[in-house]
Amino acid sequence: QVKSRGKDGYCFFDSSMTVDSSERLTLERDLRRAISEGELRVHYQPQVCLRTRRITGLEALVRWQHPERGLLLPADFLPLASETNLISEISHQVLKNACEEVGQWIAAGHQDLRLAVNLSPVQVEHPLFTERLMSQLRQIGFPPANLEIEITENVIMNDLEQVSHTLRELAGHGVRIAIDDFGTGYSSLNYLHHLPIHTLKIDRSFVHGIRSGNDGACIVNAIIAMAQGLKLEIVAEGVETQDQLDYLSTSDCDLVQGFLFGRAQPGYRVAELLGHQALPIASSA
Ligand code: C2E
Ligand code: MG
Ligand code: MG
Ligand code: MG
């Protein structure tokens, strides 16, 4: 089994192969320091309701404020973190910090605000994951129903038995489950009606392919139609242009997420956005 598998099943492995070993050692040492010194940050990208144009959710995305190299993206350090098992500690910190921060906004009046958190395979495959998560949420006072976890199809297919057990436990506690990058993994659609899935996130490669009448649009239409039939919520990822938004607005897509509405940003910026909910986030078609 390739432990360094990333969300695409191979890209993390490839990128790690190109890093030479001294560079890797430096990165690993730096990453350990980052974890213990609190250099990791959670940024949040808004998820916007297509109908109301309001922010209804936030996806937590990890960043590393490196003292010399500046703000690093997940692609710069998650591959190595997955190989060295530092991913568990990173994921723990992300979840804790995000729940604490967003939990405050929920308590301050944004009762329905949803927090989406990406899980790595090692987390979902751990038999005690649900138990630990629930006790963490209790400690923080974060309502489980406001949490959505994001996993990819590959994570499900890799260990179907353990993962479906965990997903049922999570759903039993009211936690929502989203399939991230939907349509890009190696999977069978069969799991969709056997597992407690609440949301499909259409991968941005399909959204970028939207132009009426072309293949990208056909795939987006098909995913949305299927999701409707299965009563799943649909999030379109990577919405960058007004054209893409216009197209999605005429479809039955529920939520949109992408640079058009805002990149992932630090908590204090998002708190400002939430405070200005009355302002339109993007003009409608
Ligand atoms: P993802 O979960 O699919 O997250 C969406 C990625 O697309 C983010 O990249 C986001 O910044 C980017 N994105 C959002 N809107 C647009 C857009 O309009 N155009 C384009 N081109 N990109 C857009 P980011 O933050 O670099 O994260 C990359 C991946 O790293 C994530 O993909 C997720 O799989 C993983 N990741 C991020 N944070 C965490 C974490 O805390 N834990 C785990 N396990 N994985 C994480
Ligand atoms: Mg995600
Ligand atoms: Mg996503
Ligand atoms: Mg995605």
Side-chain angles (χ1 to χ4, degrees):
Q1 184 191 345
V2 182
K3 274 185 81 184
S4 53
R5 156 180 50 104
K7 67 172 182 180
D8 297 320
Y10 48 81
C11 66
F12 286 178
F13 186 70
D14 275 355
S15 62
S16 69
M17 297 289 280
T18 63
V19 181
D20 78 47
S21 58
S22 72
E23 228 177 291
R24 287 168 58 96
L25 281 176
T26 308
L27 185 62
E28 186 176 341
R29 186 202 59 207
D30 282 7
L31 194 49
R32 286 184 196 281
R33 183 204 59 221
I35 292 168
S36 60
E37 305 278 308
E39 293 171 13
L40 297 177
R41 304 275 179 273
V42 183
H43 283 193
Y44 304 93
Q45 186 177 36
Q47 298 183 326
V48 175
C49 171
L50 251 186
R51 196 174 47 81
T52 63
R53 304 289 160 120
R54 283 169 175 258
I55 298 172
T56 54
L58 301 170
E59 179 173 0
L61 294 160
V62 66
R63 301 288 182 258
W64 177 3
Q65 188 63 58
H66 193 289
E68 289 116 37
R69 297 169 62 199
L71 195 68
L72 301 184
L73 295 172
D76 299 321
F77 58 96
L78 281 192
L80 184 76
S82 310
E83 283 174 51
T84 52
N85 257 326
L86 292 173
I87 187 74
S88 305
E89 187 47 41
I90 293 175
S91 305
H92 176 78
Q93 285 195 5
V94 169
L95 199 64
K96 181 170 180 288
N97 294 342
C99 286
E100 282 174 355
E101 197 162 27
V102 176
Q104 289 177 8
W105 303 331
I106 292 172
H110 299 276
Q111 298 98 330
D112 298 323
L113 186 64
R114 195 190 291 166
L115 169 65
V117 178
N118 296 282
L119 294 190
S120 64
V122 284
Q123 291 176 283
V124 204
E125 287 167 12
H126 197 291
L128 294 178
F129 176 73
T130 309
E131 201 180 310
R132 289 181 182 165
L133 174 67
M134 294 323 291
S135 92
Q136 212 181 341
L137 294 183
R138 258 192 310 276
Q139 241 170 28
I140 296 171
F142 190 96
N146 291 59
L147 182 65
E148 183 163 85
I149 60 142
E150 297 192 3
I151 55 172
T152 62
E153 296 161 277
N154 295 341
V155 171
I156 294 179
M157 301 319 287
N158 186 51
D159 189 351
L160 189 57
E161 207 173 320
Q162 179 58 48
V163 172
S164 31
H165 177 73
T166 300
L167 296 187
R168 288 201 185 89
E169 283 183 326
L170 288 170
H173 287 287
V175 174
R176 295 174 56 94
I177 293 146
I179 304 297
D180 205 352
D181 308 334
F182 184 76
T184 61
Y186 306 97
S187 78
S188 127
L189 293 177
N190 200 28
Y191 70 84
L192 282 180
H193 63 263
H194 291 308
L195 294 181
I197 309 289
H198 304 87
T199 302
L200 295 186
K201 300 190 73 177
I202 307 180
D203 189 69
R204 65 168 184 261
S205 57
F206 302 124
V207 173
H208 289 184
I210 287 177
R211 225 163 280 113
S212 288
N214 79 350
D215 296 351
C218 288
I219 295 174
V220 168
N221 294 345
I223 296 176
I224 292 175
M226 184 182 68
Q228 270 215 313
L230 294 169
K231 301 207 163 43
L232 300 175
E233 183 186 73
I234 278 280
V235 181
E237 293 194 277
V239 179
E240 291 182 357
T241 69
Q242 187 65 42
D243 282 351
Q244 291 162 358
L245 177 63
D246 291 345
Y247 185 87
L248 292 164
S249 300
T250 64
S251 76
D252 288 305
C253 181
D254 301 296
L255 303 178
V256 282
Q257 186 180 344
F259 294 167
L260 185 63
F261 302 93
R263 295 179 182 245
Q265 45 201 310
Y268 71 92
R269 300 276 303 277
V270 174
E272 284 171 14
L273 283 181
L274 291 174
H276 295 94
Q277 279 276 309
L279 298 175
I281 288 157
S283 61
S284 58

